[in-house]
Amino acid sequence: MNTKTINTKQHILEVGYHLVSKKGFTGMGLSELLKAAGIPKGSFYHYFQSKEQFGETLLRRYFDQYLARVELLFQSSEGNHYQNLMRFWQYWVENNRYLCDSGQCLVVKLASEVSDLSESMRQVLTTGTRQAVHLIAVCIEQGKQAGDIQVNDSQAMAEHLYEYWLGACLMNKIHQDDQSLERALVRTERLLQGTRPL
């Protein structure tokens, strides 16, 4: 695959990402994507067999970038495992207006929409979210072994926290305020410290 091919495909995905994050997957028409990207229909079908395959590729690209950032954060030498985990959740709170409200978090934006629409896209979401939970679980377990984190079951805690934060982000979209995420941050601190949550 030559540089021009890679650049064109990435351009389509980047333009599509911004449209999908604003309008949803079904809300973004193919003609709208072609116009915004400045490409003919033939160019789109050169890279993607269908809109659904485009959606799969878009989600895989999103998770690849997201997971790489999370892994880098968790491997940071700036703090212990507990501090790195809390930095991750704090980032979620501080950037919720950008990530959640604007639709930049494709998990929150597309989960209910595409899970009923496309089995292949649902599978990408399933794989991506499981990988995210795995990274959290590994960091919790490392913190547990180092004495930074006080939990019994690292995997169960990672699943609970990820699900809890996704729910908090959805409530944030509904209420248009930060209260649900602020409560999630306090609850997370207490859970990781082995303190009974409020």
Side-chain angles (χ1 to χ4, degrees), residues 81 85 134-149 151-155 157-158 192:
H81 300 292
L85 269 170
H134 173 72
L135 290 180
I136 296 168
V138 169
C139 191
I140 291 174
E141 182 60 27
Q142 290 173 339
K144 179 181 174 181
Q145 295 300 322
D148 306 328
I149 295 172
V151 301
N152 293 322
D153 187 327
S154 298
Q155 179 65 29
M157 181 58 70
L192 293 176

Side-chain angles (χ1 to χ4, degrees), residues 25-26 50-56 59 110-126:
F25 186 72
T26 55
S50 62
K51 184 183 177 185
E52 182 179 30
Q53 189 187 61
F54 163 79
E56 293 172 42
L59 284 171
L110 300 183
S112 61
E113 177 187 357
V114 303
S115 292
D116 293 333
L117 177 71
S118 165
E119 176 61 18
S120 58
M121 290 176 69
R122 187 191 70 78
Q123 289 292 340
V124 177
L125 281 165
T126 297

Side-chain angles (χ1 to χ4, degrees), residues 3 11 15-16 36 54-55 66 75 99 117-118 129 135 137 177-178 191:
T3 303
H11 174 63
V15 172
F54 163 79
Y66 173 76
Q75 293 174 349
L99 294 173
L117 177 71
S118 165
T129 53
L135 290 180
D177 62 39
D178 297 335
L191 285 169

Side-chain angles (χ1 to χ4, degrees), residues 2 16 26-27 34 43 52 57 63 90 97 124 142 145 179 191:
N2 61 42
T26 55
L34 299 177
S43 293
E52 182 179 30
T57 307
F63 276 114
Q90 185 65 49
R97 292 291 178 195
V124 177
Q142 290 173 339
Q145 295 300 322
Q179 292 184 21
L191 285 169

Side-chain angles (χ1 to χ4, degrees), residues 22 28 31 33 36 39 46 53 58 68 85 98 100 107 113 116 119 133 146 155 165-166 169-170 180 187:
K22 291 178 181 178
M28 181 201 71
S31 59
L33 172 59
I39 60 169
H46 176 72
Q53 189 187 61
L58 182 69
L85 269 170
Y98 174 70
C100 298
V107 177
E113 177 187 357
D116 293 333
E119 176 61 18
V133 170
Q155 179 65 29
W165 277 86
L166 284 181
C169 205
L170 285 171
S180 59
R187 180 182 177 87

